[in-house]
Amino acid sequence: MTTLTHADWAQRAQDLKIEGRAFINGEYTDAASGSTFDCISPVDGRFLAHVASCDAADAQRAVENARATFNSGVWSRLAPAKRKAAMLRFAELINENVEELALLETLDMGKPISDSYGIDIPGSAQALSWSGEAIDKLYDEVAPTPHDQLGLVTREPIGVVTAIVPWNFPLLMASWKLGPALSSGNSVILKPSEKSPLTAIRVAQLAIEAGIPAGVLNVLPGYGHTVGKALALHMDVDTAVFTGSTKIAKQLLIYAGESNMKRVWLEAGGKSPNIVFADAPDLQAAAESAASAIAFNQGEVCTAGSRLLVERSIKDKFLPMVIDALKAWKPGNPLDPATTVGALVDTQQMNTVLSYIEAGHSDGAKLVVGGKRILQETGGTYVEPTIFDGVTNAMKIAQEEIFGPVLSVLTFDSAEEAIQIANDTPYGLAAAVWTADLSKAHLTAKALRAGSVWVNQYDGGDMTAPFGGFKQSGNGRDKSLHAFDKYTELKATWIKL
């Protein structure tokens, strides 16, 4: 928890020096075209920086440098223990610069400073250090062979990786990918969202300070349809990893097929069900969790518990508890450490959320809390946490990812019906089950088509647990040792003795 006050953070924001250039081969550089775009804060509409708007020429330069660095072996053939040392130092430097990075994240994306300072930046450092610490403890294999044969199964870094990351947890999502990608010995080109590029640009310099060689980590800010597309189509990029919308995830698969069949690993959208049975062991805890699951990070979370499935027999008791719990989640100035809900990332996203609220009205759902834009006088993009009751799973607000603080409440009468409703979605990222019945918990968790299932909690797990989705929520996994699979190639070497 930060000890700085609102006034302290506001003053630091005034004094902050912001870097907006790309980072290629160990140096900050303008886009080849000289083009920039304006970075505007959703907190109050203030101008933050001119940011390099990279395109195909910058992608070509970055890929050439990344490939040359990889082929040189300066990082790819470095002993794992030495890569580990650099990664651990990288993580230390992020922690040492936590105030600056947290401030950049909040100003750029709109989330509360208490979350940036206490969750995002420390979590980013932990992700880097966890993967770095693991890399010299991963062993290869020896195959069972006849006495005159030797079979080796080894992992090698895949080469040049492009990581396209989202705007909701800018540095944290980048770190989930940078950790295993860099630790494995790859060269990486990081493409942050144009909505939140600032921390990615800043940490590139910290990587150099940590001892990671120039050319290993490059950062190209810009738009998806320009530099993002150029990287995804590039014939010398070996792997593309992505977190973002299902629509863009599908486009990246097309680009891979149109180019060099690069590996593509995707973490896409979600419409996660939070299932509360009548025998939940602690309804108060379930209510508080339901509120935080939709309001945390302004609902701009791929695993947001946006569908609350409540057993009909307790709905009239439970829903008022959720409404009461949501009172703790009130939008305010993100630079105030007391604020729990910040601004939506930009005007476009705010209008998207408001359009879904209108769709809820049009489809006949009952608005019980929120539903409006507020704090317009600040110049920021704030929307009240919102609850719709009387939702059916066919409604737009129950089927499509909103990426905002809008909760749909649905009812069920049996475990079978709850499972049917929960799985009736194109997505399969996460789900939660609240019950005191151990058998019901296990059987329901098994039946849910989701990559993560939490029991009697929401959003559990740590770096040891893999994260990813079923169905149109993507493929592959971030976090845990399983993440290394995305950034390495298996090689079989068979030797006659």
Side-chain angles (χ1 to χ4, degrees):
M1 183 67 180
T2 176
T3 59
L4 298 177
T5 66
H6 185 181
D8 293 332
W9 285 111
Q11 185 59 54
R12 281 166 167 74
Q14 292 293 329
D15 298 338
L16 188 63
K17 301 293 190 293
I18 298 177
E19 177 61 71
R21 290 175 293 172
F23 194 84
I24 300 175
N25 201 31
E27 295 180 341
Y28 285 114
T29 179
D30 294 327
S33 67
S35 296
T36 63
F37 60 89
D38 290 348
C39 186
I40 304 298
S41 176
V43 172
D44 51 17
R46 77 179 71 180
F47 170 81
L48 294 175
H50 296 295
V51 176
S53 186
C54 295
D55 58 22
D58 305 288
Q60 180 64 29
R61 180 184 168 198
V63 172
E64 288 176 356
N65 276 283
R67 176 61 65 189
T69 303
F70 180 80
N71 289 344
S72 76
V74 65
W75 182 253
S76 59
R77 292 195 291 272
L78 193 66
K82 291 185 177 180
R83 290 202 301 269
K84 176 181 78 172
M87 292 299 294
L88 294 179
R89 181 57 184 150
F90 190 15
E92 286 177 359
L93 287 169
I94 285 176
N95 279 326
E96 289 173 11
N97 289 272
V98 61
E99 288 186 8
E100 177 192 3
L101 292 169
L103 189 55
L104 286 171
E105 209 78 301
T106 288
L107 290 172
D108 202 8
M109 183 265 163
K111 67 176 64 201
I113 191 66
S114 56
D115 290 346
S116 296
Y117 183 87
I119 298 173
D120 288 55
I121 307 308
S124 301
Q126 183 192 22
L128 295 173
S129 63
W130 195 92
S131 295
E133 187 63 62
I135 195 60
D136 66 347
K137 301 168 185 65
L138 297 176
Y139 287 78
D140 291 326
E141 303 169 26
V142 177
T145 61
H147 77 282
D148 59 346
Q149 304 281 337
L150 177 63
L152 304 178
V153 182
T154 54
R155 286 191 176 274
E156 299 179 359
I158 197 165
V160 175
V161 175
T162 187
I164 302 173
V165 296
W167 47 259
N168 59 331
F169 293 92
L171 187 57
L172 185 59
M173 294 298 97
S175 297
W176 281 9
K177 301 179 191 312
L178 292 179
L182 293 175
S183 298
S184 297
N186 298 288
S187 294
V188 179
I189 302 165
L190 176 62
K191 191 275 178 196
S193 170
E194 68 276 6
K195 297 177 187 286
S196 57
L198 300 182
T199 49
I201 293 170
R202 175 67 181 98
V203 300
Q205 181 61 48
L206 297 181
I208 295 294
E209 293 177 26
I212 296 174
V216 172
L217 175 58
N218 307 274
V219 179
L220 298 185
Y223 293 97
H225 65 273
T226 54
V227 68
K229 180 178 180 180
L231 290 168
L233 285 169
H234 202 289
M235 296 296 291
D236 206 21
V237 170
D238 300 296
T239 293
V241 292
F242 171 78
T243 296
S245 71
T246 295
K247 177 183 177 181
I248 301 303
K250 291 179 178 181
Q251 189 63 56
L252 292 174
L253 289 171
I254 293 171
Y255 290 155
E258 290 177 345
S259 55
N260 61 341
M261 290 177 60
K262 58 178 62 65
R263 311 295 190 272
V264 180
W265 301 104
L266 308 164
E267 193 267 278
K271 197 69 184 175
S272 300
N274 187 10
I275 305 170
V276 182
F277 287 100
D279 65 349
D282 187 339
L283 284 180
Q284 184 59 41
E288 293 174 1
S289 181
S292 64
I294 194 60
F296 171 67
N297 209 55
Q298 305 73 244
E300 297 167 321
V301 185
C302 54
T303 57
S306 54
R307 291 187 298 153
L308 178 61
L309 279 58
V310 184
E311 192 160 0
R312 192 181 307 276
S313 63
I314 62 165
K315 205 284 287 286
D316 290 343
K317 174 183 178 181
F318 185 66
L319 182 54
M321 297 171 68
V322 178
I323 294 171
D324 187 63
L326 198 62
K327 293 176 182 176
W329 297 87
K330 184 178 179 181
N333 191 309
L335 293 176
D336 184 347
T339 293
T340 53
V341 179
L344 295 173
V345 71
D346 62 8
T347 300
Q348 179 184 27
Q349 183 61 21
M350 179 186 68
N351 289 336
T352 295
V353 172
L354 291 173
S355 73
Y356 276 107
I357 292 173
E358 182 57 38
H361 287 295
S362 299
D363 287 347
K366 179 184 176 183
L367 179 69
V368 294
V369 170
K372 300 187 298 295
R373 180 184 182 185
I374 59 173
L375 302 175
Q376 288 180 255
E377 70 279 3
T378 67
T381 49
Y382 301 87
V383 172
E384 295 175 304
T386 299
I387 299 177
F388 279 102
D389 191 14
V391 178
T392 67
N393 213 44
M395 292 181 182
K396 186 175 182 178
I397 58 172
Q399 281 295 308
E400 298 183 13
E401 185 177 44
I402 298 173
F403 233 60
V406 181
L407 178 63
S408 296
V409 180
L410 303 93
T411 54
F412 63 89
D413 292 302
S414 67
E416 292 75 18
E417 185 183 9
I419 292 165
Q420 187 277 323
I421 294 171
N423 286 338
D424 182 20
T425 170
Y427 303 110
L429 192 55
V433 179
W434 296 79
T435 177
D437 185 326
L438 185 62
S439 293
K440 185 192 294 183
H442 276 289
L443 291 171
T444 304
K446 279 187 174 184
L448 291 170
R449 298 289 294 164
S452 296
V453 179
W454 305 301
V455 177
N456 295 330
Q457 60 180 319
Y458 202 90
D459 200 22
D462 58 20
M463 281 300 299
T464 64
F467 180 83
F470 288 18
K471 300 190 286 185
Q472 293 186 48
S473 287
N475 58 9
R477 294 297 182 264
D478 285 322
K479 304 197 305 178
S480 83
L481 297 179
H482 295 281
F484 287 92
D485 294 341
K486 300 190 295 187
Y487 305 103
T488 54
E489 289 278 27
L490 280 179
K491 176 177 286 185
T493 304
W494 206 263
I495 304 169
K496 181 175 176 58
L497 302 176

